[in-house]
Amino acid sequence: VFASQFSLRKQYPDKIVVKLKVNAETIDQDVQSGDAIDLGGTGVQAATQAKVVNDANLKANTDNTYGGRLVYMAINTQVAPFNKVECRKAVEYAIDKVSVQTAEGGPIRGDIATTVLPPDITGYQKADVYATTGNKGDVAKAKEQLKACGKSSISTNLSARSDRPQEIDAATAIIASLKKVGINASLKQYPSGKYFTDYAGVPTFDKKQNIGLHMMQWGADWPSGYGFLQQILHGDAIGASGNTNLPYPNDKQINEMLEKAIATEDDSARNALYAQIDKRAMDLAALVPLTYFKVLLYRPAGFTNLVSTAAFSGQYDYLNIGTTKK
């Protein structure tokens, strides 16, 4: 964890002090006292969150911003029976997204998602292919799709990262939703450091272990439709290991549209292609969008030009931060 303190003349710093391995709660205290900026940019801790959101004066000094990331569950199209689109659609309709949002920390930590692209990434277009009342899932529609898939029940496994408590909590909520429609999923936990290289990102491992569902969070390397979509949907991103394309689609339409988009100079035309790719991925039921990730940042007194940006996952643009301190 990083914390930084700025000692400045006029508007911009002439010295930046970066402190390493600072306790997260200590960072929150230093930020609130106006002595530091959280360079990690992941937002305040749970205890601090409860404190600031319940105090109008403190809340006025916060920014609750999108982080250029999507929290979702990938449906592995290479693991039976999820190689059938109807079985994948059953999963789409089954999920109570409100319960998942609550498990992740509530609306302040993310808006309920219905698309692949988050609202702060170019190419986003509002849509909801698998709409349910109150975003709480639809058991009847899920069972209908399950029947169309030729199944009355499914047994599968769901992978999640063992060192991410909120992800585990979200996965637990998903398992409860799936059980209501006859999809019995068992949680398999793996460390973040090897999640893609040894486990969820290895197609042969997933098939052998019957892991049909994967918890996932993705942020763009740069805030554009191509930067966000290519590594999680293009067939060329699938290899023997280390994959971040966890639904494992190698869809001709998606591949061709991504290649066309990156070669398209006109902004409107290019962004329209990203929206079409998003729709195609949802029509294929390749993944279940859960929440558009948000961060709760605290603005310390005495600092100026604090502007968050999707380019830095919702963090402040540190290059332009100034201060009124002498």
Side-chain angles (χ1 to χ4, degrees):
V1 180
F2 298 83
S4 61
Q5 295 180 338
F6 296 79
S7 175
L8 313 178
R9 292 177 184 171
K10 297 183 179 178
Q11 185 178 7
Y12 294 108
D14 56 8
K15 182 173 73 171
I16 297 176
V17 177
V18 179
K19 295 182 178 180
L20 307 179
K21 299 181 180 179
V22 181
N23 179 274
E25 286 73 21
T26 300
I27 292 175
D28 283 356
Q29 293 171 11
D30 290 345
V31 169
Q32 289 184 78
S33 65
D35 295 328
I37 292 252
D38 177 15
L39 193 58
T42 55
V44 300
Q45 301 304 303
T48 305
Q49 174 182 314
K51 176 183 176 182
V52 299
V53 299
N54 291 308
D55 184 314
N57 291 327
L58 293 176
K59 190 175 181 180
N61 290 327
T62 64
D63 293 303
N64 192 203
T65 179
Y66 288 122
R69 284 179 271 174
L70 177 72
V71 178
Y72 63 98
M73 182 176 70
I75 306 176
N76 195 321
T77 59
Q78 294 186 2
V79 175
F82 299 120
N83 54 334
K84 296 181 179 180
V85 68
E86 294 85 2
C87 279
R88 300 196 298 272
K89 288 182 177 180
V91 174
E92 296 278 2
Y93 282 118
I95 307 302
D96 177 351
K97 295 185 180 181
V98 175
S99 70
V100 176
Q101 181 190 50
T102 301
E104 291 172 352
I108 208 160
R109 289 295 184 183
D111 291 342
I112 287 175
T114 56
T115 58
V116 182
L117 289 170
D120 55 339
I121 300 296
T122 55
Y124 164 80
Q125 189 174 97
K126 187 176 181 180
D128 192 353
V129 177
Y130 305 102
T132 65
T133 303
N135 293 304
K136 292 188 175 182
D138 190 317
V139 172
K141 285 186 178 180
K143 288 185 174 180
E144 182 181 307
Q145 290 297 325
L146 206 59
K147 184 178 180 180
C149 186
K151 297 286 183 179
S152 58
S153 64
I154 293 173
S155 292
T156 189
N157 289 313
L158 167 60
S159 70
R161 285 164 282 199
S162 58
D163 48 354
R164 297 193 178 191
Q166 288 183 336
E167 186 165 285
I168 298 299
D169 290 345
T172 302
I174 287 171
I175 289 171
S177 290
L178 293 175
K179 187 175 183 179
K180 293 177 182 178
V181 305
I183 301 174
N184 299 303
S186 297
L187 182 61
K188 300 294 182 181
Q189 301 185 41
Y190 306 108
S192 293
K194 295 183 177 181
Y195 194 66
F196 302 107
T197 58
D198 292 16
Y199 303 111
V202 182
T204 54
F205 179 85
D206 297 332
K207 290 180 181 179
K208 185 177 180 180
Q209 299 297 322
N210 189 32
I211 303 176
L213 306 169
H214 306 286
M215 294 302 293
M216 181 64 169
Q217 184 179 138
W218 181 252
D221 289 336
W222 67 93
S224 75
Y226 189 87
F228 196 93
L229 297 168
Q230 197 274 341
Q231 283 294 305
I232 62 171
L233 289 177
H234 199 297
D236 285 352
I238 300 174
S241 66
N243 296 295
T244 49
N245 181 345
L246 298 187
Y248 294 101
N250 190 3
D251 181 70
K252 183 179 179 182
Q253 289 186 42
I254 288 178
N255 295 346
E256 289 180 348
M257 284 191 287
L258 274 167
E259 288 154 13
K260 182 178 179 181
I262 197 63
T264 299
E265 294 184 6
D266 180 76
D267 286 347
S268 296
R270 185 172 60 252
N271 290 335
L273 282 167
Y274 295 141
Q276 290 173 38
I277 294 164
D278 193 321
K279 184 179 184 305
R280 174 65 178 169
M282 292 309 303
D283 287 344
L284 291 173
L287 57 88
V288 182
L290 298 171
T291 59
Y292 301 125
F293 181 84
K294 296 180 77 175
V295 293
L296 182 67
L297 302 171
Y298 192 88
R299 282 181 273 106
F303 289 81
T304 61
N305 300 334
L306 292 172
V307 179
S308 65
T309 170
F312 302 144
S313 301
Q315 301 172 12
Y316 291 128
D317 182 352
Y318 302 115
L319 178 64
N320 291 309
I321 291 176
T323 184
T324 58
K325 293 184 178 182
K326 302 297 184 181

